[in-house]
Amino acid sequence: MQHYTFDCIYLQIDMDTIEVSNLNRQFLFRQSHVGQSKAKVARDAVLRFRPHISITPYHANVKDSDFNVNFFKQFNVVLNGLDNLDARRHVNRLCLAAEVPLVESGTTGFLGQVTVHVKGKTECYECQPKPAPKTYPVCTITSTPSKFVHCIVWAKDLLFAKLFGDKNQENDLNVRSNDSCSSSENKNNVFERSDDEDWEQYGRRIYDHVFGYNIELALSDEETWKNRTKPRPMYSRDVLPDKMTQQNGNADKTDDLSPASAMASLGLKNPQDIWCLMENTRVFLEALKLFFTSRKKEIGNLSFDKDDQLAVEFVTAAANIRAASFNIPLHSLFEAKGIAGNIVHAVATTNAIVAGLIVIEAIKVLKKDGCYRMTYCLEHPSKKMLLMPVEPFEPNKSCCVCSQTPLSLEINTHRSKLRDFVEKIVKAKLGMNSPLIMCGLALLYEVGDDLEKDMIENYTANLEKVLSELPSPVTGGTMLTVEDLQQEFTCNIYIKHREEFDEEKEPDEMVLSGWTQAPPEKKDDKTSIGNGASTSKSLPTEPMYAQKDTEVKEISDGTASPGKKRKLPEFSEGCTLDQSNDADETMNHKKIQKLDDDDDDLVMLDHWGKDTCKKQRSQ
């Protein structure tokens, strides 16, 4: 068997540092590496058993301007293991612009996949629409939560942000009610600590306001609770008597060099234990105190981070207290962290399998044999197979990224501001980082370091104007051109004015369409699959996340894109693969979608072996 090596230049881009939770799902990091750069430690580990190769690590964000199209043009192939959709889109567009093949990958639990994307030959990463993250109406989060994930979203996006984030950001923690009374006598200052308050008094006041008064306010709307179980107001004095609070902070004190932790202060050691209401209350008060005493300089600039232990403790406790009020089962910190961080915990074996598949496909790309496979790791064997190889699909002619097909946007042009369009569509949906927006020849918005002061002021003023009142009005029938110069990506968006939207299904009051999927394969094109045999295109290139126990992975019907999903059909011994259109009949009776790894790595290979080196393109 011929032996192939990557022995000239190898680059790795990773902005993460090693966490303790990383140690159980990979083979390069050790306990002594915690806190160090993943990219640099990985380089050192690999060089110990392959000392002759050249590896250049970058402890940086792949979206930094240094990693532009010219940078990508140096390489023979890019290997992707990023942990979020935005970064994956960014790399996909840079690879398309640089005409460099991309090997994508992802794992979640026992599931995983490796896909190959070659410009003009296979579909790009964005040829098929990616399911949008699950969103929830504000009224459900603030007024009528029915699932633990609703309580997590409330604790993370509302309460945590209000207490520790940007004070100027709009944030309504008052439970919606038809009652006209205010949330408190001093509603504007309820989250501000007065000079004569100690931390326990302040913590209890916040507790009583959000878990007591706000719940009573919600109960005043009797119509809401006719067919629902009424919540129970929680007051700190009823859960934690004054004498019990004195126990806070006395157990297992951490030294000054250790990160602040409410669990450590209170002697709570097992993150998989489910705390009782009293324990959650103590963690809530202790975490609040630690934030304002040990991390005072960060207050006002904090946002929730799943790797921030104190933040996870606070959000877990707050979510559990709210869950108890609304008769929702409590969860452990381990479970709450998974929901809050959209985490399905990784398995080292799956990661190792996917890593091997990445290398196999990279060798095929470098040999230019064209026999690529998109391979899916299954949780349960099917026809005695855990790995399912699939031939890549051709580029989708309706893709707005690689085929530059125009999109359409339904929006109320008399109500929505340009800022809404930029934040919710251009950045959130299209994944652009440095957008430029034009209406005909008029430039409506642009970002960049080289802009004049008056231009910046002009574009900032435009952000606060509704679309129909811009210098070049955007109304029904307008065609907008949106461009990201860093990604070398341009798309046209046709505007359709629409008056009303469904608050439950369309909370953003915008509907972007145009990502229609490729036509389904003909049924007579199917072929049977044997271990190692050729596969047909009847299997999907767009699997969906397996639904786990955490509701955060739910995919609602309201987020489905036009066209039917291609899926992994269920089949048994001796039968052939067939593409079914039944949306409920999926592999192992589960929904599967593109998997995002919990790790964040980008690897680029240049000069493969001794005889396959490609001349570097001039930058």
Side-chain angles (χ1 to χ4, degrees), residues 398-432:
S398 298
C399 177
C400 70
V401 178
C402 65
S403 298
Q404 297 186 339
T405 301
L407 304 174
S408 64
L409 176 67
E410 296 179 47
I411 187 171
N412 189 319
T413 58
H414 302 307
R415 191 163 61 219
S416 296
K417 297 180 180 179
L418 181 61
R419 180 183 297 280
D420 299 325
F421 175 72
V422 171
E423 296 296 333
K424 297 178 181 179
I425 299 298
V426 177
K427 292 184 178 180
K429 294 285 178 68
L430 299 181
M432 293 189 179

Side-chain angles (χ1 to χ4, degrees), residues 239-299:
V239 178
L240 191 67
D242 290 342
K243 63 181 180 180
M244 294 294 295
T245 312
Q246 297 174 6
Q247 299 177 20
N248 277 14
N250 292 334
D252 293 348
K253 277 279 187 182
T254 57
D255 58 65
D256 293 338
L257 299 178
S258 301
S261 166
M263 285 183 64
S265 294
L266 300 173
L268 301 172
K269 298 179 179 179
N270 189 351
Q272 299 195 38
D273 286 343
I274 297 178
W275 304 328
C276 66
L277 182 58
M278 180 182 291
E279 288 171 324
N280 277 293
T281 300
R282 294 178 66 197
V283 170
F284 177 90
L285 296 173
E286 182 69 10
L288 185 70
K289 181 184 77 173
L290 288 173
F291 265 119
F292 282 99
T293 55
S294 302
R295 298 173 60 177
K296 186 175 182 180
K297 293 181 180 179
E298 300 175 64
I299 302 301

Side-chain angles (χ1 to χ4, degrees), residues 89-142:
R89 285 172 170 170
H90 183 76
V91 171
N92 176 63
R93 294 168 189 180
L94 289 173
C95 286
L96 287 171
E99 298 187 9
V100 176
L102 171 64
V103 179
E104 259 287 352
S105 65
T107 70
T108 181
F110 294 103
L111 304 174
Q113 89 278 322
V114 174
T115 58
V116 183
H117 308 280
V118 181
K119 184 176 182 177
K121 296 182 179 179
T122 72
E123 63 181 10
C124 78
Y125 177 72
E126 297 176 79
C127 271
Q128 301 306 320
K130 304 298 181 287
K134 179 67 177 178
T135 59
Y136 304 96
V138 173
C139 57
T140 298
I141 300 302
T142 59

Side-chain angles (χ1 to χ4, degrees), residues 361-394:
E361 295 305 323
I363 290 174
K364 292 179 185 178
V365 170
L366 295 169
K367 288 175 65 180
K368 298 181 181 178
D369 65 4
C371 189
Y372 313 129
R373 288 291 180 270
M374 300 189 178
T375 306
Y376 300 93
C377 300
L378 309 179
E379 185 170 358
H380 303 289
S382 185
K383 204 175 182 182
K384 299 182 179 180
M385 295 171 62
L386 281 172
L387 298 181
M388 190 63 61
V390 180
E391 289 182 10
F393 279 75
E394 294 180 354

Side-chain angles (χ1 to χ4, degrees), residues 63 84-91 427-428 430-433 487:
K63 293 168 67 177
N84 66 87
L85 180 60
D86 188 44
R88 290 174 187 265
R89 285 172 170 170
H90 183 76
V91 171
K427 292 184 178 180
L430 299 181
M432 293 189 179
N433 304 311
Q487 299 175 351

